[in-house]
Amino acid sequence: MDDVAVAIADPVRRHILTMLRAESLSAGEIAQRFTISRPAISRHLRVLRDSGLVRDELVGRRRIYRLDPGPLAPLLDWLTALTTVDRWGRHLDALETEVYRTRRERRSRGPAEHRREHTA
């Protein structure tokens, strides 16, 4: 998961992943879409390949890259757990507050009012 997080931390690599989501591209086709040097693109592609986010295949003399989103799953699960726990925690805290408020109101009204409330 750490390798994936490092790989997607760079905006150039995120852009490459977005491009590869739509179609498989050669290293040259990827490099043409950037103003940075081809060696720099090659280094970015190596980081993405090492993290498992892209796969490459040699077709003739060209290396074709395609997206492999599988390694994103553990990171996505971790991020989802972070946001989900907090949301549920807030809902459960609100429910607990409401339960205590209702109990307090019933105690303050007394047993006679409570019986009338249920027989009406």
Side-chain angles (χ1 to χ4, degrees):
M1 183 170 69
D2 291 342
D3 290 342
V4 171
V6 168
I8 64 173
D10 186 275
V12 171
R13 291 192 287 265
R14 288 194 306 268
H15 187 70
I16 290 171
L17 291 173
T18 302
M19 291 182 335
L20 293 175
R21 181 182 61 194
E23 61 182 322
S24 297
L25 296 167
S26 70
E29 290 169 324
I30 293 169
Q32 288 174 353
R33 299 179 185 192
F34 290 93
T35 57
I36 59 177
S37 69
R38 283 181 182 246
I41 292 295
S42 292
R43 286 190 293 275
H44 285 298
L45 288 170
R46 186 177 325 113
V47 170
L48 291 170
R49 191 174 55 240
D50 291 347
S51 72
L53 290 170
V54 298
R55 302 275 180 223
D56 64 326
E57 177 185 356
L58 198 57
V59 178
R61 297 179 65 196
R62 295 173 34 170
R63 190 166 298 277
I64 306 297
Y65 290 87
R66 64 179 171 80
L67 177 66
D68 182 357
L72 289 169
L75 183 59
L76 182 60
D77 290 344
W78 182 76
L79 290 169
T80 301
L82 280 179
T83 59
T84 304
V85 170
D86 185 47
R87 186 179 68 210
W88 275 107
R90 282 183 280 144
H91 290 305
L92 292 173
D93 287 346
L95 177 61
E96 181 181 32
T97 300
E98 186 61 23
V99 167
Y100 284 122
R101 186 189 63 76
T102 303
R103 285 181 183 167
R104 195 172 44 248
E105 285 177 1
R106 284 184 180 168
R107 276 191 297 251
S108 68
R109 285 188 295 191
E113 281 186 48
H114 181 69
R115 276 193 299 265
R116 270 187 263 138
E117 181 182 289
H118 287 289
T119 57

